[in-house]
Each structure stands twice: as structure tokens, then as C-alpha cells.
Amino acid sequence: MLLGTCYYPEQRNPGLWRGDMEMMAEAGLNCVRVGEFAWKCFEPEEGKFNFSWMLDFASQAGEYGIDLLMCTPLRSVPAWLFARNPDMAIETDDGIKLEFGSRYLYCINHPVLLEKGGILAEKMSEAFSGIPNVTGWHLGNEHGDEKDCHCPVCRDAFRKWCREKYGNIAALNQAWGLIFWGLEFSGFDQIPTPRQTGTFHAPAHLLAWREFRSDSTINAVKMQALAVRKFAKPDQFITTNFAGNTRTDYFKLAGELDVCGVNFYPRYNHPFASWPLARIRAYRPGNFQVHELRNGPHMLPGAEGNTPAPGQVENLALHCVGEGADGVFFFRWNACPYGCEQSHGSIIGYDDQPTRLYGEVKTLFNRLKNLAPLLEDTEVVSSCGVFADFPTHWITGGGVPWNGPDRLAERVFIRNYESLKSFSVNVDAIGRESDFSRYKLIVIPLLTGIGDALAKKLVAYVENGGKLVWHPLCGNKDVETQIYPERIHPVLHKLFGLDLREFGAAGKDEEISFKWSGNSYSGELFYDLPVILGNGKMEGSFISGPYPAKPAVIKINYGKGTAYYLSTFPLENFYQDFYGQILDELKIVPVIPGLPEEIEVNTRAKADGTSLVFLQNMTDETVGANLAGEFVDCYQGCRVGPGKISFAPFESKILQKRAES
């Protein structure tokens, strides 16, 4: 297991390296992530490379048993390269050319950037791959986090992308529905990037642009990976950190990597989110690394959720490990007195002395080092999957009012995920290419842009015994954003057996209420008014609005499985009751039942059924619990239970559970 921090030897006096390494080794660190902004130091002048300083640092780190996760620095170009190629600056949708003076300011499609970045990555691979303590390669930093570029290079590349996808302009005009408003093109050379315009660009034009931007980022990462792999050793993994935005299809980008990584900066005044970590598990099934994890408070007056309580940084790191992290890197090691992030929290202070968090990190990492043999070959295994989908983000978002509320997809994804997670069971995020057969329950909070293959895959899942929960607006558009005649893909129309032609929308002050299982609940935003045509059974009905008694919850038995159609977007209290019933039916139960809601539960299991159960008090108060049996707390090195146990504020226990016979 990699236990580390983000470190910048080029920003430190070399005379301080050894002292830093001594403190790191004492605190149990075994790896540092280095190099992501060091292009100028590696290549001070064009074609003149200097790797000696990093080789010296690697040698010193090795003396202390510290490995390097080596970053290729594509994401911040040196001034000499920008001065010779000022046209590589991003051109925003309103025509502004970004000026040098920041990271992420250049066009990711610019041929000089890709060429020079590839040369540097290959040279670095040649220089460092033979170093014994270079454990892996980290490609760039936060890919896709820059503004969209509309420069001539991107415009021409977008036109080429469109030509390759559609073949001829007539096919593009039809796919994009450009006869609406009379916007048809006569040739590919007329297609603009979607800059600011009078009202809104066509939905399919915007979707194509998002797909192109995503493909551009993936191509840049792929070129870096190819360069590194020329000299990288077979046991050196390749990774990068996903920033958590929705601009790049990380499911596709993960195909260029050996291990996925993520940055995680949650607020300290709120229970730590699990959804971003579930998503990173989904992109490439298996465990992942957290390449930037927040630690100390930022020196920012008024910053909300900024200051960790004692034990909360340890709690945060263990939250990540429980969700499947096999590597944790705190950002950052030392406080930096200059630069844009000079106020950022750190493990040692501006005076190069340990902050109060150093002791906490020391306890954490030394305990995890002892725990590592038990964590080996464990992973998060879930029976429930909640759909997360980038095309759905692109089609339903983007700030276009005709698409509905911005960030609607993320809102309903998280609501369903957190509702299931509250039952103290593992829950995965899943995507279009995921193996549906792994799950007893799949929830589709919002999914659009559906073609034949995905529709058939979903139907086959139910037919073969799966349980599917569906929501309104799902499956209503094809892969070019055109709405299906029945407002749902024909294959899914056969599954649900519903007439969905009638519907309504609700503003924030307009009530949508319905009954299910004898109780009343509320929905929001939108509602279908379905007519049951097939064998569906109405289990709940609307009780307010202009169409009371219309089906609000419909159960459809199909093949060996069951599908539920929810006709609105329910609020949280409905999901607590609804998912509670479904989990009972499926016999999906907590691995340790009866724990209070303040205790978060995550489980990592081996193939033989043995598991490590992470129990974490996510509050600043002491919490009591009851255990039915006796367990070994292998994190704190003691036995707990049976009977009453106590969790101090933000305390974590990791219980070893043997396979049930």
C-alpha cells in the first residue's frame, strides 16, 4: 500500500530534502508524488534536459525506503515554449486568448504541446524507469480541468472529428436536427465550435462538442502513456488523478491506465462523501489511489468546512481506504510561502516544523503499514449499483434551460446512492460498460442518450433475474439527443409496457405528492402520467396535482426479474422506505447489523469471503454501539465486543470478519 504525500523537490532547497525524508520515514510514508509542474526544471531550454537533480533526490529518498510516483509535467508549460508558440493559448468561447501566468492555459490539441510533451515524457521514462524506487508513472495532473478551447486548431480538429463520425454533411445535418431554425451546413468547413451565440446551439451539436473535448483529453493522455511505456518497467504502473469534473468520460480515459486515481477535498463540517470514491472504483473495476487528499486547514478567513477536528484527518484517510483506496497521498507535505496555493494546508509548516497533524498522520500511516498485509487482495464488493453516466451529464446539463436544471444528473445520482449507502451496505457506481450481472439491484436515477445495445443490455439484466429501478426522463433520447416517439427507447418500451406520452413539470413551490405502501411522500421537478399497457402493477399513485390516482410507482415482472418505474423524482424519505423493502427482499443486509446511523460502514473482502469491516464515527460526539460477537480490531490492535462498545469522536475501528460457513 502506498502511503505518501505530494512533494516538490524543485521548490525546496536541496539541503532540506534529507530532513524531510527523515520526518517522512518516521511518520510511515513510503512514497512521494513528484514532478507534475517541473517541466522548466527538467527542460530549462528547448532540447536541453536536466534530470540530475531528480536523480539526486530519488537516491536520497531511496535511502529512507521512500518510492517515487513520477509525474510527467504536461499540464504546465515553460515560458520559453509558450513564448515561441503563443498560439497554443486557449481561446475561450467569447474570443479571449488566455495569457501566460497560470497552469491549464493552453490548447490540449496543439501539435507543438503534444509533440514536446511526448518528447519530455519519453526522455523522463528513459532516465527514471531504471531507478529502483520509481514505483509508477503519473501522467500530468487533473486532465480536463481547463476551459474549453475554441482556437483554430480545435475548430479544425472538431471538423475532422465530425467528418470521421458522420461521413457526409447530410448525415450530420439529419443527426443534429439542424433543419430546426434552418441551420443546416453545406460542408464540414462551416461547422463552428459552439461559442457564444444568439440563443442556444443545437443539443446534438453541444453533445458532439463534449464528446470531442473528452476524446481530445483522452488522446493527450494516451500519447503520454505511449511515450512512458517505451522504457517503463513491467512492474511500474501508469496512473493519473481525475479531478472529479464531468468534462471527460473517465470510463474511456481509464482504458489508458493501469490504476485510476482521484483528488479528494471534502468539507470537514459535513460527513465525508462516498460518491466520488464509488465513481473512481467504477471507471476501472478494482481499487484505486487518492493522489491528492486534503489535510490541514487552509489559511483562508471565512472558509467553510476548512478546519479538521482532532482525529478527523485520520478519519478521512481511513474513509478512503475503506472505499477501496490502495494508495493515499496527502496534499501537501510542506507549506509553501509563495504561489497561488500559499495558503494551502500541509503536514509541516512554513517554518519546516511539524504541524499538529504530523502526529496524526504518523499514527495513521504506521498503523496502515501494519495493516497492509491484511488489506492485500481485498476489494469493495457490492450487490447494488447506481448508474453514473457522462453522456447523461452532457445532455441534461451545460446551463441550457431547455435541458432542465443544471447538475440535475449529479443531484439524483447522489440522492439514490446515499439513500442505499445509509443501510450500511456497499454500493457501487456503474456505467454503460459495467458487468451488470454482478449486481442484484441496479438503480437508474437519470440516463439518456440510449442506443440499441444499452437498451438490450438493460432488458437482458431484468430478464435474467435482476431488479431494476427506473426514473422519469430515462431512456427518452437517442445517442444524438433526439426524443423517441414513445418518449422511451422501443426496446425499453416493451420492458415497461407503459404509455408515457403524457407528463408534467413542477416548479419549486408546486407540490407532487403520492402514496405508496400506505404512506404519503413527495416528489419534485417532473412527473410522468403513465398508462399501464402490459402486466405492470400500480403500487403507488399520485394524490396531488391535476392528475390524482395516476400511477406513481409501478412494478413490472419481466422474465426472471423485476423492474420498478417511479413516475417522479422522490425525496429522500421515500427512498428510505422503498430501498429498505427491496434490500430485505434481496437479502442484502449489513455485514454487522444494528449499528447506529452515526457509524459509517465499509467492507473490503477477499475472494475467500474473509473481510475487513471499517466502522467509523463520522461525528464529533461519542457514539455507543452493540456488537453481537467478538472481533479483532486490527487497526488499533485489540479485541472488541461482544456487547457495548464506544466510539470516540471521529474514531475508526477496522474489524476482521471471517468467512461465514
Side-chain angles (χ1 to χ4, degrees):
M1 184 171 192
L2 298 181
L3 307 170
T5 187
C6 302
Y7 189 72
Y8 300 88
E10 72 276 15
Q11 298 176 13
R12 300 285 276 168
N13 184 317
L16 297 174
W17 292 350
R18 192 168 293 278
D20 286 339
M21 296 301 108
E22 288 176 355
M23 284 191 285
M24 288 181 190
E26 184 180 344
L29 278 75
N30 60 21
C31 192
V32 288
R33 173 175 167 256
V34 295
E36 75 263 31
F37 297 124
W39 189 332
K40 176 65 163 62
C41 296
F42 287 135
E43 191 179 6
E45 300 177 47
E46 185 170 8
K48 295 182 180 180
F49 299 98
N50 176 17
F51 302 128
S52 60
W53 61 275
M54 185 63 85
L55 290 168
D56 290 344
F57 173 75
S59 177
Q60 287 190 29
E63 294 176 26
Y64 293 91
I66 295 174
D67 289 342
L68 274 60
L69 179 55
M70 186 67 70
C71 300
T72 59
L74 183 70
R75 303 289 284 146
S76 191
V77 303
W80 61 256
L81 180 59
F82 191 86
R84 293 177 187 178
N85 303 275
D87 61 331
M88 70 167 47
I90 285 174
E91 186 174 331
T92 62
D93 65 349
D94 55 0
I96 295 173
K97 296 283 284 187
L98 299 188
E99 185 53 87
F100 187 84
S102 168
R103 62 182 183 177
Y104 310 165
L105 63 94
Y106 46 81
C107 170
I108 199 68
N109 288 310
H110 198 282
V112 173
L113 171 75
L114 297 175
E115 177 194 2
K116 299 298 184 184
I119 291 171
L120 176 58
E122 184 175 337
K123 292 285 188 182
M124 289 179 65
S125 180
E126 185 177 17
F128 299 122
S129 287
I131 305 302
N133 60 322
V134 172
T135 191
W137 289 90
H138 185 294
L139 307 178
N141 187 65
E142 299 174 344
H143 288 280
D145 229 20
E146 72 279 357
K147 297 176 183 291
D148 281 359
C149 182
H150 297 260
C151 73
V153 170
C154 286
R155 179 200 62 205
D156 293 345
F158 181 50
R159 290 170 176 174
K160 180 183 178 184
W161 184 93
C162 289
R163 184 186 297 275
E164 290 173 351
K165 179 175 181 178
Y166 295 101
N168 62 76
I169 200 66
L172 181 145
N173 285 331
Q174 183 174 4
W176 289 10
L178 294 181
I179 196 167
F180 186 80
W181 285 350
L183 301 175
E184 303 100 312
F185 302 117
S186 301
F188 287 97
D189 61 346
Q190 297 174 357
I191 300 173
T193 64
R195 292 174 178 267
Q196 291 188 21
T197 189
T199 53
F200 308 107
H201 292 279
H205 189 169
L206 294 174
L207 175 61
W209 175 249
R210 289 265 54 88
E211 291 174 344
F212 164 74
R213 296 305 317 178
S214 177
D215 286 353
S216 298
T217 296
I218 294 168
N219 178 64
V221 174
K222 181 177 182 178
M223 292 180 70
Q224 289 278 290
L226 289 171
V228 166
R229 290 188 197 277
K230 288 185 178 181
F231 295 98
K233 304 300 182 188
D235 61 345
Q236 292 174 334
F237 61 86
I238 291 182
T239 185
T240 194
N241 56 338
F242 298 160
N245 64 57
T246 59
R247 300 160 56 81
T248 302
D249 190 331
Y250 291 139
F251 285 101
K252 293 182 178 179
L253 177 55
E256 306 301 330
L257 308 174
D258 301 316
V259 180
C260 288
V262 67
N263 294 352
F264 194 43
Y265 290 94
R267 294 180 299 167
Y268 281 122
N269 65 343
H270 189 273
F272 300 134
S274 293
W275 177 243
L277 305 179
R279 292 194 73 154
I280 200 73
R281 282 202 313 268
Y283 302 142
R284 188 179 184 90
N287 297 339
F288 59 93
Q289 297 171 2
V290 181
H291 291 137
E292 293 185 19
L293 183 63
R294 75 173 307 173
N295 53 78
H298 307 327
M299 192 170 56
L300 297 173
E304 182 183 355
N306 175 63
T307 306
Q312 205 168 10
V313 168
E314 181 182 11
N315 182 284
L316 171 59
L318 291 173
H319 168 75
C320 296
V321 176
E323 288 282 0
D326 276 349
V328 174
F329 295 81
F330 284 110
F331 186 90
R332 49 183 281 163
W333 171 254
N334 63 292
C336 188
Y338 48 77
C340 289
E341 295 178 358
Q342 63 184 159
S343 301
H344 205 288
S346 59
I347 298 172
I348 69 169
Y350 298 97
D351 60 355
D352 299 324
Q353 298 302 307
T355 67
R356 66 178 176 85
L357 295 174
Y358 176 83
E360 199 167 313
V361 171
K362 180 178 178 179
T363 298
L364 165 73
F365 277 177
N366 281 297
R367 285 180 173 179
L368 282 176
K369 191 173 284 188
N370 293 330
L371 190 64
L374 293 177
L375 284 168
E376 190 172 355
D377 298 325
T378 64
E379 62 179 4
V380 176
V381 179
S382 307
S383 297
C384 307
V386 176
F387 227 84
D389 185 58
F390 288 96
T392 296
H393 276 291
W394 300 337
I395 293 170
T396 62
V400 178
W402 287 105
N403 293 343
D406 204 17
R407 302 187 67 82
L408 170 63
E410 194 73 359
R411 178 171 161 184
V412 295
F413 291 164
I414 292 173
R415 179 181 295 169
N416 281 267
Y417 174 84
E418 290 185 345
S419 294
L420 281 168
K421 197 81 171 73
S422 70
F423 289 94
S424 298
V425 297
N426 286 349
V427 184
D428 282 350
I430 62 173
R432 296 172 184 240
E433 303 302 322
S434 298
D435 179 2
F436 292 177
S437 68
R438 296 179 59 183
Y439 302 99
K440 295 181 179 180
L441 170 66
I442 289 179
V443 178
I444 312 289
L446 192 62
L447 176 63
T448 190
I450 290 183
D452 294 346
L454 180 56
K456 291 175 181 177
K457 184 177 177 180
L458 288 162
V459 171
Y461 167 75
V462 178
E463 199 167 30
N464 291 326
K467 196 173 289 276
L468 182 71
V469 176
W470 201 259
H471 288 76
L473 299 175
C474 294
N476 66 334
K477 294 182 181 181
D478 68 15
V479 294
E480 296 290 355
T481 76
Q482 296 197 20
I483 298 172
Y484 287 110
E486 301 287 346
R487 290 188 54 248
I488 195 167
H489 189 286
V491 171
L492 294 168
H493 183 258
K494 181 181 177 182
L495 165 65
F496 290 108
L498 302 174
D499 180 341
L500 296 170
R501 289 176 295 173
E502 299 296 334
F503 55 87
K508 63 179 181 179
D509 296 323
E510 297 178 82
E511 182 181 18
I512 305 174
S513 58
F514 63 96
K515 266 191 175 179
W516 175 78
S517 192
N519 296 311
S520 297
Y521 303 94
S522 295
E524 65 171 354
L525 302 175
F526 189 89
Y527 53 92
D528 282 322
L529 299 168
V531 175
I532 298 174
L533 303 175
N535 68 348
K537 177 186 175 184
M538 183 172 73
E539 290 203 338
S541 60
F542 290 111
I543 55 176
S544 71
Y547 301 99
K550 282 285 189 179
V553 182
I554 304 167
K555 181 179 181 180
I556 302 102
N557 293 318
Y558 190 89
K560 299 177 182 178
T562 304
Y564 283 92
Y565 195 101
L566 306 183
S567 301
T568 187
F569 294 107
L571 301 184
E572 288 83 351
N573 63 333
F574 169 76
Y575 289 125
Q576 285 298 305
D577 295 340
F578 179 67
Y579 286 140
Q581 176 177 300
I582 289 179
L583 293 178
D584 285 345
E585 292 172 1
L586 294 173
K587 296 182 170 54
I588 300 173
V589 297
V591 65
I592 296 180
L595 294 171
E597 63 180 11
E598 294 88 352
I599 303 300
E600 179 184 83
V601 182
N602 287 298
T603 306
R604 291 179 57 153
K606 290 181 181 283
D608 65 4
T610 60
S611 58
L612 294 177
V613 184
F614 289 66
L615 305 181
Q616 296 188 259
N617 180 4
M618 307 306 282
T619 74
D620 59 0
E621 298 181 356
T622 299
V623 175
N626 281 287
L627 292 180
E630 183 182 53
F631 297 88
V632 174
D633 178 354
C634 49
Y635 181 67
Q636 299 193 34
C638 60
R639 293 184 176 273
V640 294
K644 291 184 178 181
I645 62 171
S646 179
F647 291 81
F650 304 112
E651 183 183 4
S652 300
K653 304 178 188 293
I654 303 177
L655 309 187
Q656 192 170 13
K657 191 171 188 295
R658 303 198 179 280
E660 296 180 1
S661 56

